[in-house]
């Protein structure tokens, strides 16, 4: 696993270096992209997708195995759902307000931007809120706990040990 | 070195590097490149929800390290003066609004990316490169929303 961590660290470093060099970290560059005045970032993303698409397909077609784990190169993809649209809308609004997305925000902070820290604080809070929401019981389950079904009430004649009533 | 790094390279150079990172992550670990997943790994670790960081958490550390390395080698940053339209729009005492807008926007980014299952790196680059229809839908949605919201903000402010 240590080799895996090191590999992730190196790959992340290449990613962080590249987005800094491409000036993904500059809010004015992102704004020009979102105002469709500068196509650089769209072209850059398209190149990344084409290279990634071709490289991963070549690996899979060649029956390659991963260098560190020895497993066959493989991946699965999920079907689109409502959450992809709902989450995408929220994410897009945040992107337009801050002119940044998670990787550039980290790179801004690493380059010493105090403004980036404000955005990163918000990202962390957003992730935490999401995790908290996921941990809450589903509304149906909560109702069931408060109002047990009649059959459950009738059958619960024996109180569990340790019950105070 | 500084001059080279502080001027933007051709788009296909940066694009190729990012694409190769996606290929290398699959070739070495069968792992996906996703920064939101890495940030989430840190939040889960620090709040006691997870025992370790895993590959995504270390990838995020790498992103930070890579940007620090860039800053040191370039001898300057690529963030710019102030913070774009926000510090140009809200000046003087109104500048106190800027951290609030950035924090609020950050909440939308974090919550939205977790809901969608990824961000620009996870869906926009990696997922799309792997041929995920879910990533295409998420990417299309956040791109269109961000462009539309930017134009609306431009008209309003």
């Amino acid at each position: 696993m240590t080799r895996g961590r090191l590999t992730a660290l190196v790959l992340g470093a290449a990613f962080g270096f590249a987005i800094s060099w491409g000036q993904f970290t500059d809010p004015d560059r992102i704004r020009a992209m979102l105002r469709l005045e500068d196509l650089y970032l769209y072209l850059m993303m398209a190149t990344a997708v084409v290279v990634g698409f071709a490289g991963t397909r070549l690996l899979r077609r060649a029956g390659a195995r991963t260098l560190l784990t020895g497993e066959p190169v493989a991946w699965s993809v999920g079907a689109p759902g409502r959450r992809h649209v709902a989450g995408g809308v929220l994410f897009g609004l945040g992107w337009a307000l801050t002119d940044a997305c998670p990787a550039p925000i980290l790179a801004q902070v690493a380059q010493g931007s105090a403004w980036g820290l404000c955005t990163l604080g918000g990202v962390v809070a957003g992730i935490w809120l999401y995790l908290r929401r996921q941990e809450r019981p589903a509304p149906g389950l909560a109702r069931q706990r408060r109002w047990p079904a009649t059959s459950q009430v009738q059958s619960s004649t024996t109180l569990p040990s340790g019950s105070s009533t | 070195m500084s001059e080279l790094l502080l001027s933007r390279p051709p788009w296909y150079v940066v694009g190729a590097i990012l694409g190769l990172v996606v290929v290398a992550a699959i070739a070495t670990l069968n792992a996906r490149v996703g920064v939101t997943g890495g940030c989430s790994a840190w939040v889960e670790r620090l709040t006691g929800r997870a025992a370790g960081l895993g590959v995504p958490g270390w990838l995020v550390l790498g992103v930070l390290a890579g940007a620090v390395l860039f800053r040191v080698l370039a001898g300057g940053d690529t963030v710019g003066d102030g913070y774009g339209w926000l510090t140009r729009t809200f000046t003087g005492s109104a500048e106190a609004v800027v951290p609030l807008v950035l924090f609020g926007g950050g909440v939308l980014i974090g919550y939205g990316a977790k809901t969608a299952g990824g961000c620009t790196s996870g869906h926009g680059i990696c997922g799309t490169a792997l041929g995920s229809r879910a990533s295409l839908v998420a990417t299309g949605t956040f791109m269109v929303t961000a462009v539309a919201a930017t134009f609306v903000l431009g008209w309003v402010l």
Side-chain angles (χ1 to χ4, degrees):
Chain A
M1 187 57 196
T2 307
R3 285 195 305 163
R5 287 171 183 166
L6 265 176
T7 305
L9 196 70
V10 170
L11 292 175
F15 203 90
F17 192 95
I19 58 169
S20 298
W21 194 18
Q23 301 183 4
F24 241 125
T25 44
D26 185 341
D28 281 328
R29 295 285 196 192
I30 302 291
R31 189 140 184 96
M33 167 202 179
L34 295 177
R35 289 181 62 84
L36 308 177
E37 294 164 354
D38 180 9
L39 298 182
Y40 179 98
L41 294 173
Y42 294 111
L43 292 168
M44 190 220 64
M45 280 181 71
T47 309
V49 169
V50 169
V51 170
F53 183 88
T56 51
R57 290 302 186 291
L58 281 172
L59 285 172
R60 194 163 68 175
R61 185 171 288 187
R65 290 182 171 271
T66 59
L67 292 174
L68 294 185
T69 59
E71 303 162 337
V73 165
W75 63 87
S76 58
V77 291
R82 276 197 320 185
R83 71 187 181 94
H84 296 104
V85 176
V89 168
L90 294 176
F91 181 81
L93 290 173
W95 196 6
L97 274 174
T98 63
D99 290 328
C101 55
I105 293 166
L106 289 174
Q108 286 175 351
V109 171
Q111 288 192 36
S113 166
W115 299 114
L117 269 179
C118 302
T119 326
L120 183 61
V123 171
V124 168
I127 290 171
W128 180 79
L129 282 172
Y130 176 87
L131 295 172
R132 289 274 297 174
R133 188 164 178 268
Q134 292 301 304
E135 286 160 0
R136 267 197 240 149
L141 284 174
R143 203 163 40 243
Q144 199 177 343
R145 279 187 198 149
R146 278 200 301 272
W147 306 104
T150 314
S151 58
Q152 284 177 308
V153 175
Q154 286 171 342
S155 65
S156 60
T157 48
T158 309
L159 290 168
S161 59
S163 173
S164 58
T165 52
Chain B
M1 176 69 104
S2 172
E3 202 173 309
L4 173 74
L5 292 177
L6 290 176
S7 53
R8 204 160 58 158
W11 47 266
Y12 48 83
V13 172
V14 181
I17 295 171
L18 298 182
L20 288 173
V21 169
V22 170
V23 178
I26 291 286
T28 51
L29 292 161
N30 261 348
R32 293 181 183 214
V33 175
V35 173
T36 298
C39 292
S40 184
W42 274 96
V43 174
E44 289 169 48
R45 177 73 189 87
L46 294 173
T47 55
R49 290 177 168 87
L53 287 173
V55 165
W58 284 86
L59 188 97
V60 155
L61 267 186
V63 172
L64 287 166
V68 168
L69 180 68
F70 176 86
R71 175 74 178 75
V72 170
L73 291 177
D77 67 70
T78 52
V79 183
D81 295 329
Y83 198 89
W85 74 278
L86 280 168
T87 50
R88 282 195 299 275
T89 306
F90 301 102
T91 54
S93 59
E95 200 177 84
V97 171
V98 177
L100 299 176
V101 173
L102 290 175
F103 185 86
V107 171
L108 289 171
I109 289 171
Y111 195 91
K114 281 295 286 182
T115 304
C119 57
T120 323
S121 55
H123 276 317
I125 294 177
C126 188
T128 308
L130 296 178
S132 162
R133 285 190 301 129
S135 292
L136 281 170
V137 168
T139 305
T141 306
F142 65 65
M143 284 282 190
V144 168
T145 305
V147 169
T150 300
F151 276 101
V152 170
L153 279 171
W155 293 325
V156 172
L157 294 169

